[in-house]
Amino acid sequence: MDIKSIGVIGAGQMGNGIAHVMALAGYDVLLNDINQDALNKAVALIDKNMERQVSRNLISADDKAGAMSRIQTTLELTQLGPSDLIIEAATEREDIKNKIFETLAPHLGEQTILTSNTSSISITRLASRTDRPERFMGFHFMNPVPMMKLVELIRGIATDEETYQSCLAIVERLGKTAASAEDFPAFIVNRILIPMINEACYTLYEGVGNVASIDNAMKLGANHPMGPLELADFIGLDTCLAIMNVLHDGLADTKYRPCPLLTKYVEAGWLGRKTKRGFYDYRGETPVPTR
């Protein structure tokens, strides 16, 4: 189908990035959040990030002006209903996602495709709670969205071919690459990445190395651009823990048991960069390891 309008639910780190790339690709974007402050901050951040792209000659000033004019915001979730495609990028909690789709249901256009940016939750299960499981799939962007080239496309058991092809065409129009994943816990990227981060947490928990030595070892010894604990702070420790719990519950294998230290940091509210403390303390001029 010819997709022209896109609704994005959630104006946080992922939602504003998705709105950014969709608007630049020529789609009309309606960005929703429950908080007006979050919407204002998202639009300001998109403007700032596009201005950076202009300064690097990645896009023109006209490209930016056109894209910004295509982004509208709303506090009313139901206003997204007539969109050709809706991308849910809310908190990584299944009950919240189900409530969002339930609220949208009576307001959806007949043609509307529903997708979720979930990083780990079952697409089949989310789809089963809607009136259109055949027009529902996983549309998982990587963070930061404007920079990262990969999008995971995840079909639920009922997703039809037309829905998949429509989403694949969008990924190609964005200039990104699609990786098709089966609907198993955490899909491809996080099935591999988050257990590695969890193992780094165990390495710290067991005293094998401190934060700095673990991150330096992986950066210099495995040529990773960012150490696993630094990356965990960037992703959000609450998100890492949520994905580990999905893996542990969904695959029933003890190798996916979340590290107790990761759980403790989340309980303390030390969630990484977004709360200024995680495995590093970000309250000063330079990040300082907390262990």
Side-chain angles (χ1 to χ4, degrees), residues 8-29:
V8 179
I9 302 166
Q13 203 171 33
M14 297 303 296
N16 78 64
I18 294 168
H20 175 139
V21 298
M22 291 296 183
L24 267 181
Y27 296 104
D28 292 322
V29 177

Side-chain angles (χ1 to χ4, degrees), residues 65-143:
M68 292 304 298
S69 73
R70 285 189 286 273
I71 298 173
Q72 304 295 322
T73 65
T74 181
L75 291 169
E76 296 298 323
L77 177 63
T78 55
Q79 288 186 11
L80 274 62
S83 304
D84 296 325
L85 172 77
I86 294 174
I87 303 172
E88 172 274 313
T91 305
E92 190 70 351
R93 277 180 48 190
E94 190 166 347
D95 58 332
I96 290 174
K97 295 179 187 298
N98 284 332
K99 182 65 178 172
I100 286 168
F101 293 126
E102 184 183 316
T103 303
L104 275 172
H107 307 277
L108 295 174
E110 189 180 338
Q111 85 292 351
T112 303
I113 293 173
L114 291 177
T115 67
S116 176
N117 184 59
T118 179
S119 51
S120 60
I121 297 168
S122 167
I123 297 303
T124 297
R125 200 162 61 235
L126 287 173
S128 72
R129 302 290 294 273
T130 74
D131 67 340
R132 58 194 66 210
E134 70 287 348
R135 289 201 300 284
F136 190 110
M137 69 180 300
F139 208 161
H140 182 217
F141 288 83
M142 305 296 126
N143 186 33

Side-chain angles (χ1 to χ4, degrees), residues 270-290:
W270 291 21
L271 308 182
R273 286 181 175 269
K274 60 188 173 186
T275 59
K276 304 294 184 186
R277 277 196 290 188
F279 290 113
Y280 291 84
D281 189 325
Y282 300 92
R283 293 174 297 175
E285 285 188 18
T286 57
V288 177
T290 52

